[in-house]
Amino acid sequence: MSYVGISLSARILLNADALNMAESVGNVTRHRRAPVVIKTKDGLQVLYVPAISGESIAHAYQVHLAEVAKRYGLPVCKCCEKGIFVKSTDENALNNCGIQIPQSLQQPGKKGTKKSKESGGIKKSELEKVIIQQCVVEDVGGFLNSDNTVKRTSRFRVGYMLPTLDSLKAGAVGTEPELHVRYAGAEQSGGQMLYYVEIGSALYNLNFSLDVSNIGVLSSDNTEYGEEVDSLEAPERFKRAEAALKALQNLMGSMLWGAKRTRFNPQWEVMSLVVAVTDVPFEVSPGNEPSYLFETVERLQILSNNSKVYYFDKEGLKKPQEAKIEVIETNSYLEAIAKASEEALARLGESLKLK
């Protein structure tokens, strides 16, 4: 089957955000920070900058995926439906989340799955298939069942949102603890309590990629030597891929991710976005500099001549003058994602031989 993948990078301006907080020190709640190395005229320098973890973005994406999957009539387990992504970690999780393991896979009088006669070990592929049949989120987001050492790698990848390198070099990033007052009860002096929430402002870079063609396909790690990798039926795989791409659009369109949204909803603006649909595994160049569109096209056209790049630009990106692959500008960042999703689904449908 032909490979179909989609990846994007976006430069997003966030002002006064508290989307990912770390520990509290006294009455101060700190913004998450991460070390970043930048190159200066004097050499290399380490900066500790505001950051938003990949786990935070991944959680939000899977919430959107669960909601979309339910609307599409696709199966979602009880835990993922509630936004509790414990996944199928062990037998307790399987039971609590409503994953039904057929009797044929269970050993009489013993917990777990049946043994494979060929290898004497756990038939991992059978358990993996049972789990993903019953939950789209675990299909796309992966899981690790520790009872039987069954690992399904996530079909999507996302990393930390960090300030772009060009903004760091310009010194255009900052955090500040802001004073707030809450009513704390009459027993305290004046009934008021002071506290501080550290907010951050930066031009962040967000990266996300999705292995569209392997949604609904079992992990080769769970198959035995010489065994063909199994998958769900083609129409089911296509519908799940459609849901996964729609969830990505909802994630980026709503911008509803991160913590403290009720009172620290940040001002945000997407300055630019680059999204690629590829026939080889590929990651769009991170939007650390305004040259990331140019760098993406330069890299991709060496690896593939059958890929497309869509982009949105309101900050003056460096653009390729001549390209061997198709590069398409759009009027909005959501249009770029929507068109890329349509292209990815068209390629997947052709690969699956769906009419």
Side-chain angles (χ1 to χ4, degrees), residues 295-307:
E295 293 167 358
T296 294
V297 174
E298 288 292 294
R299 291 171 49 231
L300 186 54
Q301 65 185 2
I302 294 174
L303 300 173
S304 166
N305 58 8
N306 187 31
S307 296

Side-chain angles (χ1 to χ4, degrees), residues 5 11 32 57 61 64 142 183 189 203 226 232 291 299 326 336 338:
R11 287 161 58 94
R32 182 178 295 279
I57 306 301
Y61 173 71
H64 284 292
Y183 182 73
S189 176
L203 177 61
L232 305 183
S291 58
R299 291 171 49 231
E326 197 169 355

Side-chain angles (χ1 to χ4, degrees), residues 1 3 55 102 135 168 213 253 286 292 296 314 321 334:
M1 178 186 151
Y3 180 86
E55 284 290 348
C135 186
L168 289 177
S213 54
Y292 76 115
T296 294
K314 63 185 302 183
Q321 298 302 313
L334 281 179

Side-chain angles (χ1 to χ4, degrees), residues 25-320:
V25 180
N27 63 342
V28 180
T29 305
R30 298 182 58 208
H31 197 294
R32 182 178 295 279
R33 283 186 173 84
V36 172
V37 176
I38 65 170
K39 188 175 182 179
T40 68
K41 61 181 180 181
D42 299 320
L44 299 178
Q45 181 181 0
V46 177
L47 301 176
Y48 286 85
V49 298
I52 300 169
S53 73
E55 284 290 348
S56 176
I57 306 301
H59 178 88
Y61 173 71
Q62 290 175 106
V63 168
H64 284 292
L65 177 58
E67 293 172 349
V68 172
K70 293 295 288 184
R71 290 204 309 269
Y72 282 21
L74 293 167
V76 180
C77 74
K78 293 178 182 178
C79 296
C80 291
E81 186 176 7
K82 297 176 182 178
I84 304 171
F85 302 117
V86 295
K87 306 294 182 66
S88 296
T89 51
D90 53 27
E91 188 182 7
N92 286 332
L94 290 169
N95 293 333
N96 293 334
C97 297
I99 300 292
Q100 301 295 322
I101 305 299
Q103 192 66 34
S104 61
L105 294 184
Q106 300 178 11
Q107 296 182 66
K110 198 172 183 181
K111 298 177 180 179
T113 60
K114 73 175 182 180
K115 301 264 185 174
S116 167
K117 294 180 180 179
E118 292 78 15
S119 65
I122 297 296
K123 190 70 171 177
K124 300 178 181 180
S125 59
E126 293 183 6
L127 179 59
E128 180 192 9
K129 189 170 185 178
V130 165
I131 293 171
I132 69 170
Q133 281 175 331
Q134 298 179 58
C135 186
V136 172
V137 177
E138 297 193 57
D139 179 1
V140 178
F143 63 87
L144 173 60
N145 183 273
S146 57
D147 283 347
N148 301 291
T149 325
V150 177
K151 180 180 184 294
R152 178 172 179 80
T153 301
S154 174
R155 273 31 181 168
F156 76 91
R157 299 175 294 277
V158 64
Y160 268 56
M161 285 181 64
L162 297 171
T164 64
L165 294 183
D166 60 335
S167 66
L168 289 177
K169 293 173 184 175
V173 60
T175 57
E176 182 71 18
E178 296 291 340
L179 173 65
H180 296 271
V181 180
R182 69 159 60 98
Y183 182 73
E187 68 278 4
Q188 297 195 24
S189 176
Q192 302 291 324
M193 183 176 70
L194 302 179
Y195 68 103
Y196 295 82
V197 174
E198 190 174 56
I199 60 173
S201 294
L203 177 61
Y204 286 99
N205 171 47
L206 167 66
N207 298 303
F208 184 100
S209 59
L210 178 67
D211 183 350
V212 179
S213 54
N214 278 306
I215 294 173
V217 178
L218 300 192
S219 296
S220 59
D221 290 346
N222 296 330
T223 59
E224 296 177 5
Y225 183 75
E227 185 179 60
E228 186 176 351
V229 177
D230 197 6
S231 67
L232 305 183
E233 295 296 324
E236 177 74 5
R237 288 169 57 190
F238 184 87
K239 195 171 183 180
R240 290 177 177 219
E242 188 177 17
L245 290 166
K246 181 62 177 176
L248 173 59
Q249 295 176 48
N250 290 354
L251 173 76
M252 297 298 294
S254 67
M255 288 291 176
L256 291 177
W257 34 261
K260 288 187 170 291
R261 301 300 299 247
T262 56
R263 296 297 181 269
F264 293 89
N265 203 22
Q267 299 180 34
W268 60 270
E269 185 176 6
V270 178
M271 304 304 296
S272 62
L273 178 142
V274 175
V275 55
V277 181
T278 63
D279 60 353
V280 294
F282 182 80
E283 300 275 346
V284 167
S285 296
N288 284 317
E289 306 275 358
S291 58
Y292 76 115
L293 168 62
F294 178 85
E295 293 167 358
T296 294
V297 174
E298 288 292 294
R299 291 171 49 231
L300 186 54
Q301 65 185 2
I302 294 174
L303 300 173
S304 166
N305 58 8
N306 187 31
S307 296
K308 289 187 179 182
V309 174
Y310 302 84
Y311 73 94
F312 164 73
D313 176 27
K314 63 185 302 183
E315 59 173 339
L317 299 180
K318 180 181 179 181
K319 300 177 177 62

